[in-house]
Each structure stands twice: as structure tokens, then as C-alpha cells.
């Protein structure tokens, strides 16, 4: 029971897009009190820049002191030029995210190993494809064709740079620099300032991949071998000279070695890694020497074959991965077939296949867009691009049209139609008391509900349609050796789309480097894809969750050392996932008396509708139900039906019967069951662990915080229900006015809704 020395430490965790300390803590200014400058712990500050106490929490008929802290991790993903360029690695990040989307396969582990192996092979081919396309731009388009003597391209370039050796240096040195930068990115990690856990592991614990150094070396060697193969004439052209033949055989053997190594997924060791990288670098230099002299007219003969061969290999491996994923998803289906459809994994656990296909499509599109943009910047039409780029431009031209049609149909037709057909939802009538508020809320509910339910469908439809279209174009172009008349206008649209994509990316990255506050969207993109450790592709930003979670857990343990302290982990949007993983870690490590003083508060969380469905093996329902039971009801979730990004977390199957909201949800005793609640005077509906908030808020009363308009995903801390949820998460029930009205004064958990 709480005594006179009871206090609450509310430890808030920031969410997307570089949240500032003042915004996170709802304070005028903040000051650092712990951390290493990358992961920062801040508190509100007074006028002398000293840590100030937070506002008290009303609970059990009195005011409980509160210490307000915030953990900021945005410097790991947002704000500098180097981090802004991570947007260019988005195809690699998608391939890595696909690894964590694999369904759990317990009865056929070999099938799971096959899916992981194919995914790693596809990731290596994606690296080779992107580097091959960059090499086609740097070595073929620019160095070989544009800088050739007598072409008239860039007439201001001195004639001394138009010889074979200078041209190779101009094209080859930037490639080596790009490969070196990618290798450095793949070996970068965040330093964790927390002791390693030696107790039992949590069922929802992220671990760094021990094979990451091996993957980094594999992808570096693959990139070097890919460029060497292009210089030697491609995979299908046998060189005539003996030295060329020996180098060509060595490069093919190196490519086969990295493919087998990626499929097996083993780390050969530090000495073997360095030896392979050294050998691949020497082969690159030898291939550059053997490629001289460069052709006086035309491009490198190996460009088309290399790009086409890598694209075809990636297509074959992606198809094999999609086929292998079908039985894996079917074997995992018994784990979720009894759940509601809105809680089942996307596409029945098969969503990793279109995500990998989208990664390949974006990788090919980025490379083709770069080449198209460079050719336009050079200002001459005599420069030739690989033949398959015509197919890529046609594909992305059709894809742009498909995206426009689907977006228009969804947002301009489907959402208003949903609003017209369903009118004002009954749950909105329970929360709002004014017709105008009900109308505004109903309009936002219709849009957010449609997006949470169907936005991923649009992405998957685009990925699958582009994949099918790409296969059909290959058949038409190479199977029938024909070029339909409609290729030309669609290709023109594709050229515009790819050129705009490349130019737009460069501009956004440049703007983010010049003014970090303008790179918030890139930061949000990096936040989403950098949440997961490196598993399939190493050339992705380091996982910030591997640093944030242990440091948060250590900070909680420091506060729990004081017997009267109760700690509430409060996470907003993506920060809610970090707090959930931290709470699971603490429940596995803390003794019983300290576990009872830990609570969890999530707000605007995408856990249920997004992450739980996209990553069924990492966030299974039974583990989340177990965490809710371990916390004994001290997991509170603030949610709004108008929030596009967030939604319900601990309850589902909501219906209104009379003036009651009923549904299913997690129970404090463990498992799940039926729940029921009625609306409070403030309009809040507390069903299980979820607090459904009215939006817009009820009118201001002069005693509590208030914000006007439909808030959607913003200003959760401005809602008066925030403090009530903090009190419940701390195990202190709701404020005395609410408890006395329900005859529950002084009880810790008697005010929680009970299953009927």
C-alpha cells in the first residue's frame, strides 16, 4: 500500500521525427540529467536551468509527488547530413525489415531456415544490383561514353581527362568510395551504457545478430565483385585473353562464394573476412587494368549483361522466397486462426514476400532514376543506357498511374463513402455531447479507420501489381522480342517519375543536411526502419532499440532502488514499442517486490493494428497478454479513434450495446476475455487497459488542460486523462472523485473494468 513517502517517476519516451524535450515533457525548457548525449535523459528546468519537480498526480484522495523525466533518442536517426542520406538506403532497410516479418515456424525449422537463407541471398543480390547500376552510371554512362574523345559531351572537360586511365579513375574511384562508405555504415553501432542482462530472457527481447560482421564482409565483397564483373565483360561473355579469363573465373568464383555464404549465414571469422575483402579489392584493380583501353565509341560491353543478369537473379530468388513462404505461413496459421481478422498477420503471414519485392523494385528504380537524371544533366541524347532501363521506365510509369488511381479511389471516394454510409458511430455518440463535435469526430474516425484497415492493402497491391507487371514486361520484351506501341508514352511517364524520384531524393537529403528541422520526414522514415537489428542486410542504420531498451531498463532500476518510488514507463507513438519491450525485459529481470512498482502507459501506439500484425513472430499475442498479466492491469493505453497512426492496444471487437461499450481484451489475471464499460462525465471510455478519449475534447472547464479542435495523433499529454492513466499505471487507481463515485475509494485496482 502507498505510504507518505510514495512518489511517481514518469519516464516518457519520445516517438517519431526528432521530438524535442520541451514537447515531450510539455515544459518551457528542459535540462539533461543523464545519458551520453546520444541517448539523453532530460527533466523540466527552472529559470536557473536546474531540474525542477513535475506536477503532482491526484490519486487516493491526495496529491502524489511526481518526477517527470524524458528519454530522447532522436539523435540516433535524425538531424545530420549523414543520417539524412540513410533515406537512400531505404531498399536495403526494407529487405532487412522483411526478415523480421517472417511468420513463426516451429514444426518445420528447416523451412524457416530456407526462408531466411533465400532472404539473405536476395539482399546480397540487391546490393550487387544497386552497385551494378551505379557502376553503369559512373563507368559506362559518364566515364566511357561521355568522356570519350570527340563526343562533344561536357566540352569544358580538358583533353587530358579523356584518356583511358583518367576516365577509369574518374569512374572507379567514386565507386570504391561508395563501397567503403557502405562498409563503414554496416559496421557502425551505438554504444550501450548499461550492463548486459544475465537473467532469464524476455519473450519479446531484441538481440543483435552475431553474424552481422560476416554479412558486412559478404556484401562488401559482393559489391567489389559485381563492379569487377562489369569491367570484365559481364557474366555471359567469356574473355579471349588468358589473363582476362583467369580474372573472370576468379570473379565468378567469388560471386558464388558470397552467394553460398549468404545462404548459409555463417561468419567465416575475422581473418577470412579481411582476406576476402583484400582479394576482392585486388580483383577490382586487376579488372580495371584489364579493361583498358576503354572503347572509343559506345559503352562497356559488360554493362547490359551484368545489370540484366543481376536483375534476373534477384527476380528468381524473390519468386523462390515467395513460394517457400507459402507453406511457412500455412504452418503458422493455427497460431492465429481463432483471432479476429483485424488481429491476424497481414496476408496471413505472407507479407514479407511483397515487401522484399518492393525492395527490389525500389532498388532497381533508384538505380535507373539515377542514370536517367545523370543523362539529363549531361544534356546530350547520344548517351546510351542499358536496354532493361526501358522496361524499368515503363514499369514505373504504369506504377505511378496505379498509385494515383488507388490513392484517388481510396481517399477521395472510399473515405467519404464510408462516412456517408455509417453516419456517426455509436461510440462517438457515447463520448461526445455536442452535434458539431460528433460530426467533426465522425469525419476523422472515418478517415483514420479506413487508413488503419486498408493502407497496407494499397501498399501490398502496388508491390504485387508492379511485380506481376515486371514479369509480364520481361516476357513481352525478351520472350516475344517485341516492343508494343504503348511502351513509348508510358515510358515517358516513367522517365519523368524516376528522374523526379532521384532528383527529389537528392534535394531532400541536401535540405535535411542544410537545415535539420526540414528533415523531419526523413527522420520519421529512418525511425521506422531502424527499429529492427541487422539480420538480412547489414547496410542499414544501426538499431537504436538495442541501445534504448537496456538504458531505459537501467534507469528504471536506479529509481526503484528507493522503496517508495513507483516508475511509469510512458511511450508516445513509436516510443510505446520501446516501453513495451523495456517493460517485458524488466518483468523478466526484477524481483517480485520491484515488479509491483512498475507501470506502463502507451499513447497513440501502432502496436496492435501495425506492428503486431506485421511482425507476428516478434510481438505475438500470447506474449503481450502475458505482459499485461505480469503488470496486473498496470498497462494503460490512451487511444483515439481519430488517430491514423495509433489505435486500440489491449482491446478489440468493440461494439456498443445500449449505453455500454463492450469488447474483448487482455485481463489482469492473464489471457483475454470479454469486457464492458460506460462513458464517464468527461466522455472517456475505459475498457480494459484502453482509455478511449473523446476527440475533440469536451469544452474547457478552467481547471484542467484543454486543446481545441480534432487532435488526432497530437497532444496526448494535453488530455486530462493522461494524469488519470499515470495514476492507474502506478497502481494508485483513479483520482478520488472518480473512485468515490463508483464506491471504490482507496482500492488499488477495484476501479478497473471487470469481465462480465
Amino acid at each position: 500500500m502507498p505510504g507518505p513517502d510514495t512518489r511517481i517517476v514518469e519516464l516518457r519516451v519520445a516517438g517519431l521525427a526528432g521530438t524535442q524535450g520541451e514537447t515531450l515533457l510539455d515544459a518551457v525548457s528542459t535540462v539533461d540529467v543523464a545519458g551520453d548525449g546520444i541517448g539523453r535523459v532530460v527533466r523540466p528546468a527552472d529559470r536557473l536551468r536546474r531540474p525542477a519537480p513535475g506536477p503532482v498526480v491526484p490519486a487516493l484522495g491526495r496529491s502524489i509527488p511526481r518526477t517527470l523525466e524524458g528519454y530522447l533518442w532522436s539523435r540516433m536517426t535524425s538531424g545530420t547530413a549523414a543520417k539524412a542520406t540513410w533515406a537512400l538506403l531505404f531498399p536495403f532497410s526494407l529487405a532487412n525489415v522483411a526478415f523480421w516479418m517472417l511468420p513463426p515456424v516451429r514444426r518445420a525449422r528447416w523451412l524457416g531456415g530456407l526462408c531466411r537463407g533465400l532472404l539473405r541471398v536476395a539482399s546480397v543480390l540487391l546490393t550487387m544490383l544497386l552497385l551494378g547500376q551505379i557502376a553503369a552510371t559512373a563507368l559506362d554512362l559518364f566515364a566511357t561514353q561521355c568522356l570519350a574523345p570527340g563526343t562533344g559531351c561536357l566540352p569544358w572537360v580538358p583533353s587530358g581527362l579523356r584518356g583511358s586511365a583518367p576516365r577509369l579513375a574518374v569512374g572507379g574511384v567514386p565507386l570504391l568510395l561508395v563501397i567503403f562508405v557502405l562498409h563503414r555504415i554496416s559496421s557502425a553501432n551505438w554504444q550501450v551504457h548499461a550492463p548486459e542482462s544475465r537473467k532469464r530472457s524476455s519473450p519479446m527481447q531484441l538481440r543483435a545478430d552475431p553474424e552481422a560482421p560476416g554479412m558486412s564482409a559478404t556484401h562488401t565483397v559482393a559489391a567489389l565483385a559485381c563492379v569487377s564483373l562489369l569491367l570484365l565483360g559481364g557474366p555471359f561473355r567469356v574473355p579471349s585473353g588468358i589473363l582476362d579469363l583467369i580474372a573472370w573465373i576468379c570473379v565468378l568464383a567469388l560471386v558464388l562464394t558470397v552467394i553460398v555464404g549468404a545462404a548459409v549465414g555463417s561468419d567465416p571469422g575475422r581473418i577470412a573476412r579481411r582476406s576476402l575483402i583484400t582479394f576482392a579489392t585486388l580483383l577490382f584493380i586487376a579488372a580495371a587494368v584489364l579493361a583498358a583501353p576503354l572503347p572509343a565509341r559506345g559503352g562497356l560491353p559488360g554493362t547490359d549483361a551484368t545489370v540484366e543478369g543481376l536483375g534476373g537473379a534477384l527476380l528468381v530468388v524473390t519468386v523462390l522466397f515467395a513460394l517457400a513462404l507459402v507453406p511457412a505461413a500455412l504452418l503458422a496459421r493455427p497460431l492465429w486462426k481463432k483471432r479476429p481478422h483485424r488481429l491476424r498477420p497481414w496476408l496471413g503471414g505472407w507479407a514479407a514476400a511483397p515487401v522484399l519485392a518492393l525492395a527490389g523494385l525500389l532498388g532497381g528504380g533508384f538505380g535507373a532514376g539515377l542514370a536517367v537524371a545523370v543523362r539529363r544533366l549531361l544534356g546530350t541524347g547520344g548517351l546510351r543506357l542499358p536496354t532493361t532501363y526501358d522496361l524499368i521506365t515503363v514499369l514505373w510509369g504504369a506504377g505511378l498511374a496505379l498509385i494515383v488511381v488507388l490513392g484517388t479511389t481510396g481517399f477521395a471516394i472510399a473515405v467519404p463513402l464510408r462516412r456517408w454510409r455509417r453516419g456517426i458511430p455509436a461510440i462517438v455518440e457515447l463520448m461526445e455531447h455536442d452535434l458539431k463535435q460528433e460530426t467533426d469526430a465522425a469525419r476523422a474516425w472515418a478517415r483514420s479507420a479506413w487508413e488503419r484497415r486498408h493502407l497496407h492493402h494499397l501498399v501490398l497491391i502496388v508491390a504485387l501489381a508492379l511485380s506481376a507487371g515486371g514479369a509480364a514486361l520481361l516476357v513481352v520484351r525478351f520472350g516475344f522480342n517485341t516492343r508494343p506501341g504503348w511502351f513509348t508514352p508510358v515510358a515517358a511517364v516513367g522517365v519523368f517519375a524516376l528522374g523526379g524520384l532521384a532528383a527529389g531524393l537528392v534535394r531532400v537529403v541536401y535540405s535535411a543536411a542544410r537545415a535539420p528541422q526540414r528533415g523531419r520526414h526523413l527522420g520519421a522514415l529512418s525511425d521506422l526502419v531502424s527499429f529492427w537489428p541487422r539480420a538480412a542486410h547489414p547496410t542499414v542504420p544501426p538499431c537504436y532499440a538495442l541501445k534504448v531498451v537496456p538504458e531505459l531498463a537501467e534507469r528504471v532500476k536506479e529509481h526503484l532502488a528507493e522503496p517508495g518510488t513507483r516508475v511509469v514507463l510512458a511511450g508516445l507513438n513509436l516510443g510505446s514499442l520501446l516501453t513495451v519491450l523495456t517493460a517485458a525485459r524488466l518483468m523478466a529481470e526484477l524481483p517480485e517486490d520491484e515488479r509491483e512498482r512498475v507501470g506502463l502507459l502507451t499513447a497513440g501506439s501502432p502496436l496492435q493494428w501495425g506492428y503486431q500484425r506485421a511482425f507476428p513472430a516478434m510481438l505475438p499475442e500470447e506474449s503481450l497478454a502475458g505482459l499485461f498479466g505480469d503488470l496486473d492491469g498496470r498497462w494503460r493505453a490512451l487511444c483515439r479513434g481519430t488517430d491514423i497512426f495509433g489505435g486500440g492496444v489491449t482491446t478489440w471487437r468493440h461494439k456498443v450495446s445500449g449505453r455500454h461499450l463492450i469488447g474483448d481484451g487482455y485481463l489482469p489475471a492473464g489471457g483475454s476475455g470479454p469486457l464492458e464499460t460506460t462513458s464517464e462525465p468527461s466522455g472517456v471510455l475505459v475498457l480494459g487497459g484502453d482509455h478511449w478519449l473523446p476527440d475533440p475534447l469536451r469544452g474547457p472547464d478552467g481547471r484542467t488542460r484543454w486543446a481545441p479542435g480534432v487532435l488526432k495523433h497530437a497532444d496526448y499529454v494535453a488530455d486530462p486523462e493522461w494524469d488519470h492513466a499515470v495514476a492507474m499505471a502506478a497502481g494508485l487507481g483513479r483520482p478520488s472523485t472518480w473512485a468515490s463515485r463508483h464506491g471504490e475509494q482507496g482500492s488499488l485496482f477495484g476501479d478497473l473494468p471487470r469481465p462480465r
Side-chain angles (χ1 to χ4, degrees):
M1 296 294 293
D5 60 341
T6 297
R7 73 181 182 105
I8 297 174
V9 175
E10 182 186 335
L11 182 53
R12 295 181 186 174
V13 182
L16 288 173
T19 304
Q20 300 298 318
E22 292 78 10
T23 303
L24 178 64
L25 300 184
D26 199 21
V28 176
S29 63
T30 60
V31 61
D32 287 26
V33 294
D36 58 0
I38 302 297
R40 303 164 53 209
V41 180
V42 298
R43 287 186 184 176
D46 60 14
R47 296 180 65 181
L48 297 180
R49 302 291 296 168
R50 298 174 301 188
V56 297
V57 177
L60 302 180
R62 61 189 180 94
S63 297
I64 306 296
R66 168 168 50 182
T67 299
L68 193 57
E69 289 188 346
Y71 186 99
L72 301 175
W73 48 271
S74 58
R75 291 185 179 179
M76 303 180 200
T77 57
S78 308
T80 66
K83 297 179 181 62
T85 57
W86 286 346
L88 302 176
L89 305 179
F90 187 61
F92 296 164
S93 299
L94 275 182
N96 189 67
V97 168
F99 182 94
W100 298 98
M101 298 178 71
L102 294 175
V105 182
R106 301 173 183 174
R107 292 183 292 176
R109 295 185 181 273
W110 65 269
L111 188 58
L114 175 63
C115 292
R116 292 190 293 271
L118 289 172
L119 190 53
R120 286 192 292 263
V121 171
S123 299
V124 170
L125 292 173
L126 185 61
T127 297
M128 296 177 70
L129 176 62
L130 191 58
L131 263 296
Q133 290 179 312
I134 295 176
T137 302
L139 282 173
D140 186 359
L141 182 67
F142 184 70
T144 302
Q145 298 184 52
C146 180
L147 295 184
T151 59
C153 178
L154 301 182
W156 49 267
V157 174
S159 58
L161 290 179
R162 296 185 182 272
S164 290
R167 289 156 64 193
L168 277 172
V170 169
V173 171
L175 282 174
L176 284 177
L177 181 61
V178 169
I179 295 172
F180 174 76
V181 170
L182 294 180
H183 179 72
R184 293 293 297 172
I185 290 176
S186 64
S187 59
N189 282 297
W190 302 117
Q191 184 177 1
V192 180
H193 297 274
E196 184 178 353
S197 173
R198 296 184 179 180
K199 296 188 178 182
R200 67 185 179 94
S201 61
S202 162
M204 296 182 292
Q205 184 171 348
L206 292 177
R207 295 184 180 276
D209 195 328
E211 301 167 2
M215 284 196 302
S216 175
T218 297
H219 284 249
T220 301
V221 172
L224 291 168
C226 168
V227 180
S228 302
L229 193 61
L230 184 146
L231 288 170
L232 292 173
F236 309 117
R237 177 177 177 269
V238 180
S240 56
I242 184 65
L243 294 179
D244 291 357
L245 180 61
I246 293 175
W248 183 75
I249 293 174
C250 290
V251 170
L252 288 182
L254 197 60
V255 171
L256 182 61
T257 300
V258 297
I259 293 296
V260 173
V264 174
S266 60
D267 185 359
R270 184 176 182 180
I271 296 178
R273 293 198 302 266
R274 292 188 173 183
S275 300
L276 283 173
I277 293 176
T278 302
F279 181 63
T281 305
L282 293 176
L283 270 181
F284 176 89
I285 297 173
V289 172
L290 293 172
L294 293 177
R297 289 290 184 272
L300 289 173
T303 300
D304 286 17
T306 302
V307 174
E308 291 173 2
L310 290 173
L314 180 59
L315 176 63
V316 170
V317 174
T318 302
V319 171
L320 292 176
F321 173 73
L323 294 176
L325 196 57
V326 172
L330 292 176
L331 288 175
R333 187 174 181 273
L335 298 176
W336 53 67
K337 66 179 181 180
K338 295 183 179 179
R339 300 180 192 172
H341 286 282
R342 296 188 183 183
L343 295 184
R344 296 180 185 180
W346 291 342
L347 292 185
W350 192 73
V355 169
L356 178 61
L358 185 61
L361 291 167
L362 285 174
F366 280 8
L370 176 65
V372 170
V374 169
R375 185 171 66 172
R376 286 186 171 273
L377 287 175
L378 294 177
T380 177
L383 302 182
R384 174 185 167 277
L385 294 175
T387 306
T388 51
Y389 281 21
D390 292 339
L391 301 181
I392 295 177
T393 55
V394 171
L395 182 63
W396 278 98
L400 179 62
L402 178 63
I403 292 172
V404 170
V405 170
L406 290 178
T408 303
T409 303
F411 295 102
I413 299 177
V415 173
L417 183 62
R418 178 188 179 97
R419 167 72 179 89
W420 176 75
R421 289 180 55 206
R422 303 199 175 189
I424 297 177
I427 188 173
V428 172
E429 295 178 348
L430 284 182
M431 292 190 290
E432 304 293 348
H433 72 293
D434 179 89
L435 181 58
K436 183 180 184 305
Q437 287 184 331
E438 291 180 357
T439 303
D440 294 342
R443 187 180 299 110
W445 270 69
R447 181 182 176 89
S448 62
W450 187 89
E451 290 197 19
R452 287 198 302 267
R453 188 172 184 179
H454 297 296
L455 192 58
H456 69 282
H457 290 153
L458 297 184
V459 176
L460 296 176
I461 289 173
V462 170
L464 293 175
L466 288 178
S467 301
L473 289 175
L474 290 175
V475 172
V476 170
R477 180 67 178 87
F478 296 104
F480 296 95
N481 195 23
T482 182
R483 181 185 174 88
W486 53 266
F487 265 35
T488 301
V490 177
V493 176
V495 168
F496 171 78
L498 291 175
L501 176 65
L505 276 174
V506 173
R507 176 176 174 79
V508 171
V509 170
Y510 175 77
S511 299
R514 290 286 303 273
Q517 67 274 12
R518 297 180 63 181
R520 291 175 60 86
H521 296 295
L522 286 181
L525 185 66
S526 181
D527 292 350
L528 291 171
V529 299
S530 305
F531 181 83
W532 301 103
R534 298 175 176 122
H537 205 298
T539 316
V540 296
C543 171
Y544 57 85
L546 293 176
K547 174 180 174 65
V548 175
V549 170
E551 291 186 355
L552 276 176
E554 189 62 22
R555 187 65 177 175
V556 172
K557 293 176 183 178
E558 292 178 9
H559 288 301
L560 291 176
E562 300 179 17
T565 300
R566 298 167 182 249
V567 181
V568 175
L569 284 163
L572 293 90
N573 48 67
L574 194 60
S576 64
L577 301 179
L578 297 170
T579 56
V580 167
L581 294 177
T582 304
R585 179 183 178 120
L586 291 170
M587 292 300 103
E589 296 178 358
L590 293 177
E592 182 65 26
D593 60 322
E594 293 186 354
R595 291 169 60 183
E596 294 176 349
R597 293 187 281 127
V598 176
L600 177 62
L601 171 60
T602 60
S605 175
L607 175 62
Q608 185 185 93
W609 76 267
Y611 278 73
Q612 187 178 343
R613 301 183 66 189
F615 310 98
M618 294 306 303
L619 297 166
E621 181 183 359
E622 54 271 16
S623 297
L624 295 171
L627 176 61
F628 193 88
D630 290 341
L631 290 169
D632 196 19
R634 297 189 305 279
W635 181 355
R636 318 310 302 170
L638 300 185
C639 40
R640 297 187 182 114
T642 58
D643 187 350
I644 293 173
F645 190 73
V649 174
T650 68
T651 61
W652 53 90
R653 279 179 175 156
H654 306 114
K655 293 182 180 180
V656 174
S657 177
R659 301 296 296 176
H660 296 258
L661 176 65
I662 59 177
D664 292 342
Y666 303 138
L667 302 176
S672 59
L675 299 166
E676 179 182 347
T677 190
T678 57
S679 176
E680 301 179 21
S682 62
V684 178
L685 291 164
V686 182
L687 183 68
D690 287 350
H691 297 232
W692 288 93
L693 309 179
D695 189 26
L697 294 174
R698 297 285 179 91
D701 56 10
R703 300 187 301 273
T704 59
R705 289 178 291 179
W706 179 77
V710 180
L711 301 179
K712 299 181 181 178
H713 190 63
D715 290 333
Y716 273 95
V717 296
D719 197 297
E721 187 65 16
W722 180 276
D723 288 347
H724 301 167
V726 168
M728 296 179 71
L732 302 177
R734 293 182 71 84
S736 57
T737 55
W738 190 94
S740 60
R741 180 167 54 84
H742 286 72
E744 305 263 351
Q745 175 68 33
S747 67
L748 290 180
F749 297 108
D751 54 317
L752 293 179
R754 299 299 184 186
R756 300 295 180 90

